[in-house]
Amino acid sequence: MMPPAVTEYAAGRSWAKAWQHEYRYGVWLIYPPEPHRSAVTALRERYAWSQSSRCDAHISLSLPLPRPVTAADVAELQAALSQVQPFRVSFGPLVRQPAHRGVVLEVSPQDSLRALLEKVEATSAFAGAVPRKYPFWAHLTIAEMVTWEQTYAIIEELADLPLSGEFDLAYLSYAVPDEEFSFTERARVYLGRADTPPAHRSSPEDRPNGPD
């Protein structure tokens, strides 16, 4: 029998897109701390026709989980990251998303983030996960699912804004969608720590977060 999961999962009856169901069991993400989170989120919300306009700013990291996540899975990941020390992450400038229509903020260091991703996805919780459709490239999405005309218009409109910053990456967040496909944080794992922090359950007033 499968051990109990760290959170409840939506049935996804209202999810109209097939790809949404791939995210039922959530993902591991990076949320920039304040004030960066609110500043980038405000830009996402400004473009209401973007598919992610209700999602907080984040850096997508892992593939979608293929099954419910248990406390043992969180502990395994925490152990895997215990030797990875927190590191500095920077974002900006604003660029067009490579090979896709959309506007994003570049993120670095890509090598360190890719190495972190490899440790995350090497844990047993990712056995059987749907293969990655595109090469990993860390970024902060501003607008997506837009036309090429809208893409270049957004870049021109935001060209004079100081869209850059940096922060110390201290933890990863496990985010899971509800029936409205709005994501909330359910657990955390910390870089450079050997202990397993308790699972974090979202509350109704939690802000929506989610993948691109």
Side-chain angles (χ1 to χ4, degrees):
M1 181 179 293
M2 185 76 178
V6 298
T7 188
E8 296 180 353
Y9 298 96
R13 295 184 181 90
S14 64
W15 302 347
K17 306 292 186 180
W19 63 264
Q20 291 177 306
H21 293 269
E22 295 179 7
Y23 286 87
R24 183 186 179 194
Y25 299 119
V27 289
W28 287 98
L29 305 172
I30 297 169
Y31 296 108
E34 297 294 355
H36 306 307
R37 180 168 171 168
S38 291
V40 178
T41 297
L43 289 175
R44 291 166 66 87
E45 293 174 345
R46 179 173 175 177
Y47 302 99
W49 31 262
S50 171
Q51 185 264 335
S52 294
S53 61
R54 294 182 62 238
C55 297
D56 269 13
H58 62 275
I59 300 170
S60 295
L61 191 65
S62 80
L63 291 165
L65 275 298
R67 61 166 174 79
V69 170
T70 67
D73 293 325
V74 176
E76 179 187 356
L77 180 54
Q78 181 63 66
L81 300 185
S82 63
Q83 301 303 312
V84 180
Q85 295 304 309
F87 57 91
R88 199 74 169 166
V89 172
S90 61
F91 61 88
L94 190 74
V95 297
R96 178 177 63 81
Q97 190 169 356
H100 298 282
R101 293 166 295 180
V103 180
V104 304
L105 291 167
E106 283 191 312
V107 169
S108 63
Q110 290 285 336
D111 289 346
S112 297
L113 290 165
R114 188 172 294 106
L116 178 62
L117 165 68
E118 291 172 356
K119 283 188 173 292
V120 172
E121 293 185 349
T123 58
S124 58
F126 285 91
V130 175
R132 190 175 294 278
K133 294 180 177 65
Y134 305 101
F136 175 75
W137 181 65
H139 59 277
L140 281 163
T141 300
I142 300 297
E144 61 184 345
M145 297 187 180
V146 295
T147 66
W148 286 115
E149 183 180 3
Q150 290 169 326
T151 295
Y152 291 113
I154 295 168
I155 292 175
E156 182 177 357
E157 182 177 343
L158 301 179
D160 294 332
L161 293 181
L163 299 177
S164 62
E166 57 182 14
F167 60 91
D168 291 322
L169 176 58
Y171 65 88
L172 306 182
S173 298
Y174 176 50
V176 176
D178 62 14
E179 286 293 350
E180 302 302 320
F181 207 66
S182 178
F183 286 66
T184 52
E185 183 185 68
R186 312 296 177 91
R188 288 181 180 181
V189 288
Y190 291 81
L191 277 62
R193 279 178 47 168
D195 59 317
T196 304
H200 170 75
R201 290 187 176 274
S202 63
S203 60
E205 62 270 16
D206 278 349
R207 294 156 59 183
N209 320 294
D212 296 345

